[in-house]
Amino acid sequence: MTSERCASCARVVAVRGRQRICTNCQSIANSACCVACGELRRVAGRDLEGQPWCQRCRNRRLNKRADEDRRQLIVEVITAADPTLDEDLVRQVLTDTVSSRQSLRRLAVHLSEHPDVFAVGPTSVLPILDRFTRALIAAGAESIATIHPVCDDCGRRQARKVRSGDDGLCSMCCARASKQTCSSCGVSRRLA
């Protein structure tokens, strides 16, 4: 882009396109009244009837649709894991438990990658999944239970796993693995 005189406003600025207008004049030329919010904004797209949308309203509509798809995926996974649960009950528990779009996305991604998580586990590793599982149990789920992760060293299910490097160890195995010989007394113990 070179600095030239804008064909619309006559300012000497960087111009673009065949019309040789500046970006400000291009935004004004591409503006219309948004069908959703009613404000005069730059057109980012059009709805099914051909009416203009601003970027904010377009993103809101797309985000709302994506959230509804995520909710539907979660409801399908839950009703497949426990057929006794009603879809409306699952949606109510989901609404009560998941408060942010980020949590909803994390839960949906985890359940899409691990649809058998309620049968195989663990359900207590991801915090939002743990809260959602506990809320489902409180709401009367019969086939769903909290499944804790298995320690990589001892093989027992622990309510809490401590990460030591890449190994998923329980607190006892982590304490056992971190023992070293003290340089002062020569006793093997956990060092401070």
Side-chain angles (χ1 to χ4, degrees):
M1 288 189 288
T2 61
S3 293
E4 297 178 24
R5 189 168 297 277
C6 174
S8 181
C9 67
R11 292 183 308 155
V12 177
V13 290
V15 295
R16 49 177 36 190
R18 283 184 277 152
Q19 299 167 337
R20 308 309 292 165
I21 60 175
C22 65
T23 56
N24 187 40
C25 291
Q26 190 175 24
S27 287
I28 293 170
N30 290 334
S31 295
C33 187
C34 175
V35 71
C37 66
E39 295 182 19
L40 181 66
R41 293 178 170 261
R42 186 172 180 162
V43 175
R46 300 200 176 264
D47 64 2
L48 296 174
E49 290 84 32
Q51 300 294 322
W53 276 0
C54 67
Q55 186 70 39
R56 182 178 61 184
C57 294
R58 182 174 177 264
N59 287 345
R60 284 181 181 168
R61 178 83 49 97
L62 293 175
N63 289 338
K64 188 175 181 181
R65 187 178 303 149
D67 287 348
E68 187 53 41
D69 291 344
R70 289 180 183 121
R71 283 187 186 91
Q72 185 60 36
L73 176 122
I74 292 168
V75 167
E76 288 172 0
V77 169
I78 297 300
T79 53
D82 191 351
T84 61
L85 289 175
D86 182 37
E87 283 189 22
D88 295 332
L89 177 67
V90 175
R91 283 188 184 276
Q92 183 60 42
V93 170
L94 184 62
T95 303
D96 294 343
T97 308
V98 181
S99 58
S100 70
R101 292 188 66 239
Q102 183 178 14
S103 295
L104 181 67
R105 185 176 62 244
R106 284 183 180 162
L107 182 61
V109 166
H110 188 77
L111 291 179
S112 68
E113 291 174 355
H114 310 285
D116 59 343
V117 71
F118 294 106
V120 205
T123 59
S124 60
V125 175
L126 189 65
I128 186 63
L129 179 61
D130 188 38
R131 284 193 305 270
F132 185 57
T133 304
R134 291 177 192 274
L136 284 171
I137 293 168
E142 298 172 3
S143 302
I144 294 176
T146 303
I147 303 171
H148 297 296
V150 176
C151 176
D152 293 339
D153 196 27
C154 66
R156 290 182 293 180
R157 290 204 179 271
Q158 298 292 328
R160 184 170 174 238
K161 282 178 85 169
V162 178
R163 290 281 178 200
S164 170
D166 290 333
D167 300 330
L169 301 176
C170 66
S171 55
M172 288 176 44
C173 291
C174 186
R176 196 176 307 122
S178 64
K179 283 185 180 179
Q180 293 180 357
T181 305
C182 178
S183 60
S184 298
C185 64
V187 177
S188 178
R189 62 176 68 178
R190 212 167 163 194
L191 301 178

